[in-house]
Amino acid sequence: MSSARGSSLVRSFQFVGDKLLTLIPSEDTALYVIKRLLQAVLTLLLASALSFAIIQLAPGSYLDTLRQNPKISPERINELKMQFGLDKPLIVQYFLWLWGIISRGDFGLSFAYQRPVSELLWERVPATLWLAIASLIVTWGIAIPLGIIGAVHQNRLLDKVLRVISYAGQAVPTLVMGLLLLTFVQNISPLFPVGNMTSINYAELTPFGKFLDIIWHSVFPVLALSITGFAGLQRITRGELLEVLRQDYIQTARAKGLPENRVIYVHALRNAINPLITLLGFEFAGLLSGSFIVENFFNWPGLGRLILQAVTAKDLYLVMASLMLGAVMLIIGNLLADLMLKTADPRIKLENLN
């Protein structure tokens, strides 16, 4: 009996070791990452040029708004025009902005805030990432188990109830869900805060108290993002798992007498997870942009409000930097999805994922 347990323990360690070895990047993986990063440079160049051209097509500029203010003299307008480089041809403006990024990491000066764009973005990124990552964890933590339960109990009462919940969640847009939750929070205030990320006495709290305070303020913004997100993911999980459960090798595993939990969670779920990994890569790309509506509703001090104000004020360099940040997140998300797919299924060849 002891020798059997010992051999079982050895096999467990070997399995864990094999899995850890798959996480070590091979030469092919390193070459693939370098290739994708080089492609990303060209993609970002094209995206920046296209974004700059599209922004210029919009009528008016930040200075046109200032011209409507009688307290601002024409001389001051000309000074600002020269300061921001708006007196130069558009192609020169673009290449000066691009050279500033390459040579100094300078994304330009915000017209409205008179501060470096990079400083403004880095001040707001943590708040948006906190909200986005929290909603991602909640969404996947709810959707995956419910999708598995729906597939295992297909067409039974529990599955039908979960499908109704899923349809209802998908039918309500984030915009409407945010308004409904905001109205609800206002009615139960001060049980939950209506807006902002922290309380007035935040600076006086202990580190753990500060953490709890942020979570307290995050509850309803995270719910607004998660309710509409989990519904679609739950249906995808259910559909993918049902497709795998119909395969012949699953029937063979059951015929061999394997426990049902092992069939579902080891054999079926492992093969159904690939499309979910791809979806996770796209969701990572949308981390910084998916919470814009909710941030404005709940007065959350993130990128959403900043970029909305930048677009309204036609703050050129702040808008450009936010677009580039979104493009970088998209590239990173796709690359991470490919690498996770390779880790989850070694049969996949990276060169076939291009």
Side-chain angles (χ1 to χ4, degrees):
M1 179 68 70
S2 60
S3 61
R5 289 180 179 175
S7 61
S8 176
L9 186 62
V10 169
R11 286 197 299 271
S12 299
F13 280 118
Q14 288 176 342
F15 177 78
V16 173
D18 292 341
K19 285 298 179 183
L20 290 175
L21 286 175
T22 60
L23 299 177
I24 300 176
S26 63
E27 183 179 351
D28 292 340
T29 303
L31 290 175
Y32 176 78
V33 171
I34 293 173
K35 178 183 175 183
R36 289 291 297 271
L37 291 178
L38 292 175
Q39 292 174 346
V41 172
L42 179 60
T43 302
L44 289 174
L45 284 174
L46 294 175
S48 64
L50 183 61
S51 300
F52 194 88
I54 291 175
I55 292 173
Q56 299 300 331
L57 293 176
S61 67
Y62 175 75
L63 296 181
D64 290 335
T65 306
L66 295 182
R67 289 189 181 97
Q68 298 174 8
N69 189 344
K71 296 182 180 180
I72 302 178
S73 64
E75 290 77 14
R76 179 56 181 164
I77 298 293
N78 290 331
E79 289 177 6
L80 291 173
K81 192 174 184 180
M82 295 178 63
Q83 178 186 352
F84 298 135
L86 300 179
D87 57 331
K88 298 178 176 63
L90 294 180
I91 188 70
V92 176
Q93 292 181 36
Y94 169 72
F95 279 107
L96 286 175
W97 173 78
L98 188 62
W99 178 248
I101 296 174
I102 297 172
S103 62
R104 306 184 303 275
D106 181 12
F107 284 84
L109 192 69
S110 168
F111 298 171
Y113 292 91
Q114 293 286 301
R115 291 177 56 196
V117 167
S118 55
E119 288 185 7
L120 289 170
L121 291 179
W122 284 119
E123 285 177 1
R124 303 294 186 98
V125 162
T128 296
L129 277 180
W130 167 271
L131 195 60
I133 293 175
S135 67
L136 193 65
I137 293 172
V138 171
T139 298
W140 283 69
I142 296 174
I144 300 298
L146 291 184
I148 295 172
I149 292 172
V152 173
H153 300 86
Q154 183 186 12
N155 295 329
R156 298 179 187 173
L157 178 62
L158 182 57
D159 180 36
K160 293 178 180 179
V161 170
L162 291 177
R163 277 190 287 172
V164 170
I165 294 174
S166 174
Y167 292 139
Q170 284 191 301
V172 182
T174 304
L175 175 67
V176 177
M177 183 57 64
L179 286 173
L180 291 175
L181 289 178
L182 182 60
T183 304
F184 177 71
V185 173
Q186 289 174 336
N187 289 329
I188 64 172
S189 180
L191 182 60
F192 283 93
V194 177
N196 291 323
M197 186 178 176
T198 57
S199 301
I200 298 176
N201 62 335
Y202 177 78
E204 303 171 2
L205 300 175
T206 63
F208 184 67
K210 291 179 179 179
F211 178 71
L212 292 179
D213 185 62
I214 293 175
I215 291 180
W216 184 45
H217 284 75
S218 307
V219 171
F220 280 93
V222 169
L223 279 178
L225 288 171
S226 302
I227 289 176
T228 54
F230 95 89
L233 182 60
Q234 174 192 333
R235 293 186 60 196
I236 293 173
T237 304
R238 177 182 179 276
E240 292 294 333
L241 190 56
L242 283 176
E243 183 68 24
V244 173
L245 288 174
R246 298 189 186 103
Q247 300 299 317
D248 293 337
Y249 70 90
I250 296 296
Q251 306 303 324
T252 303
R254 283 171 170 163
K256 289 181 178 180
L258 291 178
E260 187 66 14
N261 286 341
R262 182 174 178 81
V263 172
I264 293 172
Y265 295 105
V266 176
H267 296 282
L269 186 59
R270 182 178 179 181
N271 290 279
I273 204 170
N274 285 358
L276 302 180
I277 292 176
T278 304
L279 183 61
L280 180 60
F282 284 109
E283 290 200 4
F284 179 83
L287 281 181
L288 296 180
S289 60
S291 57
F292 282 9
I293 295 175
V294 172
E295 285 184 8
N296 282 280
F297 282 166
F298 288 92
N299 198 28
W300 191 265
L303 283 174
R305 295 171 58 203
L306 178 68
I307 295 174
L308 180 61
Q309 292 168 1
V311 172
T312 305
K314 300 174 184 176
D315 198 337
L316 173 63
Y317 299 129
L318 186 52
V319 175
M320 282 294 298
S322 65
L323 292 174
M324 289 301 96
L325 191 59
V328 169
M329 293 292 289
L330 179 61
I331 292 169
I332 294 175
N334 288 335
L335 179 59
L336 288 178
D338 290 347
L339 296 178
M340 286 189 294
L341 279 173
K342 176 64 176 177
T343 303
D345 190 349
R347 297 171 301 176
I348 295 177
K349 294 183 178 181
L350 288 173
E351 58 268 20
N352 295 332
L353 295 176
N354 287 330

